[in-house]
Amino acid sequence: MRIFGAACLLLTATAANAGRPLTTEDAGFIDKGGVELENYYHRQTARGVESLSGLHVQPSVGIGFNTQIGIGVDFLRQYNADFEGRKSSGEYAIVGKTGLKALTDDEYGVAVAWSVDRTRAPGERFRYDNAALNSALTVPLEQWLLHANLGWARTRLGKQNSTTWALAAERIAAIGPVDLAAESYGNDHNAAWLGVAARWVVKEDKLFIDSSWAKQLGGERSRAFTLGLKLAY
């Protein structure tokens, strides 16, 4: 149970900072005055332990200086195998990203992302827990975007520092208006995850529907699924 809980918290904290629907961060950032609203449902399961599901809401705004900042809120529910004994918990995070080299259609981009959050276990109050710092490299290659991450994460309640990493490849307009992607990510304490994702560009630069699925290679064979909607103004 403890291992599964730590994996879920890591996934949730990472996703708050990521380029949806991937867990891997990209090097893009919101231009000054731009606003994005991301909403997604997520569900995480593992063999023999309680499942975790929730709704994540995250508005973000470009504040200039190649920087964006946002607030992510997670409303979480935990169930046993029979969907009984529901427990409520939550998390909210302040997240940000600064572009060190702007990503273009022809040139690679580099960015640094960060997050700090407070979590609430069932029946307890909110407490500061996770902090993360993550570097992101994105390389455009014709219709492909290649991403690489290397970072650091700290869980205060778990008293653990982690080195985090992620690799991803996106195929833009793989099937008409649908982008497809694959990724692998993890840290130096747990088994790696493998995932796939899709993004439907409903209205270019304005409205997106996305989904992802991932499986952890070892441990309790954890799985994660997300389904989301993104609006950009």
Side-chain angles (χ1 to χ4, degrees):
M1 175 71 72
R2 186 171 301 173
I3 295 175
F4 177 61
C8 289
L9 284 175
L10 174 62
L11 181 63
T12 302
T14 305
N17 232 7
R20 287 281 310 154
L22 294 171
T23 296
T24 306
E25 182 63 85
D26 60 51
F29 53 85
I30 303 173
D31 293 332
K32 183 178 181 180
V35 178
E36 291 183 355
L37 177 61
E38 294 181 342
N39 307 275
Y40 61 88
Y41 166 81
H42 60 90
R43 179 171 172 78
Q44 295 147 345
T45 61
R47 185 175 56 183
V49 299
E50 294 178 335
S51 61
L52 183 71
S53 62
L55 177 65
H56 183 90
V57 179
Q58 182 174 314
S60 300
V61 61
I63 62 173
F65 305 102
N66 294 348
T67 297
Q68 67 184 59
I69 193 167
I71 298 176
V73 181
D74 243 319
F75 305 93
L76 302 171
R77 296 289 185 272
Q78 198 165 16
Y79 303 85
N80 61 23
D82 298 320
F83 288 90
E84 297 175 352
R86 184 177 70 179
K87 303 173 185 177
S88 299
S89 59
E91 175 183 273
Y92 66 90
I94 300 175
V95 300
K97 181 164 58 171
T98 297
L100 303 181
K101 183 181 186 301
L103 174 66
T104 69
D105 292 338
D106 303 310
E107 295 288 336
Y108 73 90
V110 179
V112 175
W114 55 269
S115 67
V116 291
D117 72 34
R118 293 171 65 88
T119 62
R120 180 175 62 82
E124 298 183 5
R125 59 181 177 82
F126 278 100
R127 293 187 292 176
Y128 163 71
D129 188 9
N130 301 294
L133 184 65
N134 191 26
S135 61
L137 168 69
T138 297
V139 179
L141 186 62
E142 296 182 351
Q143 292 298 106
W144 290 87
L145 289 174
L146 308 179
H147 310 289
N149 294 176
L150 183 64
W152 165 87
R154 166 72 178 174
T155 171
R156 186 182 66 86
L157 300 180
K159 298 179 180 180
Q160 186 178 82
N161 291 299
S162 301
T163 299
T164 60
W165 59 269
L167 297 169
E170 289 187 72
R171 177 64 163 84
I172 306 302
I175 306 174
V178 178
D179 307 330
L180 298 179
E183 66 178 339
S184 181
Y185 54 91
N187 61 49
D188 58 339
H189 296 293
N190 304 108
W193 291 73
L194 289 178
V196 292
R199 180 192 302 109
W200 175 25
V201 183
V202 180
K203 186 174 182 180
E204 189 172 359
D205 298 327
K206 297 294 183 182
L207 177 61
F208 309 84
I209 296 175
D210 53 56
S211 184
S212 67
W213 181 88
K215 178 180 179 179
Q216 195 173 23
L217 298 181
E220 293 159 327
R221 299 182 182 178
S222 303
R223 292 176 172 82
F225 168 78
T226 73
L227 178 63
L229 174 71
K230 175 179 172 181
L231 298 171
Y233 304 92

